[in-house]
Amino acid sequence: IALGSCTMKLNATSEMIPVTWPEWCNLHPFVPQEQAKGYYEMFDELSKALASITGFDSVSLQPNSGASGEYAGLMAIRAFHQANGDHNR
């Protein structure tokens, strides 16, 4: 289930330091896919780990927070109830 923007305020500064490293945050958004293989490998491993931990068949890394993240979380809860025959929730 997605984390809301409120949760982002609670992240410790030390946890946020790695996302400011130039090696991490300076990837151009239109970089050719073959030049971003490490990112894709990391995202794939993270997605598989999250799916395994949560019991979902698959997961999405987007949206990650805010209103769209909350909506995605609510839709996951709704799908769970529908899949379990609980149509009144």
Side-chain angles (χ1 to χ4, degrees):
I1 304 303
L3 298 175
S5 54
C6 314
T7 308
M8 299 303 288
K9 295 178 213 158
L10 302 176
N11 288 336
T13 301
S14 61
E15 294 171 349
M16 299 303 290
I17 291 172
V19 299
T20 66
W21 293 341
E23 301 86 358
W24 173 254
C25 69
N26 287 338
L27 185 70
H28 192 279
F30 297 118
V31 68
Q33 190 170 357
E34 64 273 2
Q35 293 179 20
K37 288 182 181 179
Y39 286 87
Y40 284 96
E41 182 179 337
M42 181 182 58
F43 296 147
D44 185 53
E45 289 178 16
L46 177 60
S47 295
K48 287 177 182 173
L50 290 173
S52 175
I53 291 166
T54 61
F56 288 148
D57 293 330
S58 63
V59 299
S60 172
L61 299 178
Q62 290 294 331
N64 56 2
S65 67
S68 56
E70 295 300 322
Y71 180 70
L74 289 172
M75 295 307 293
I77 293 167
R78 178 177 181 256
F80 170 83
H81 286 299
Q82 288 181 338
N84 289 291
D86 191 3
H87 301 288
N88 295 322
R89 296 201 96 173

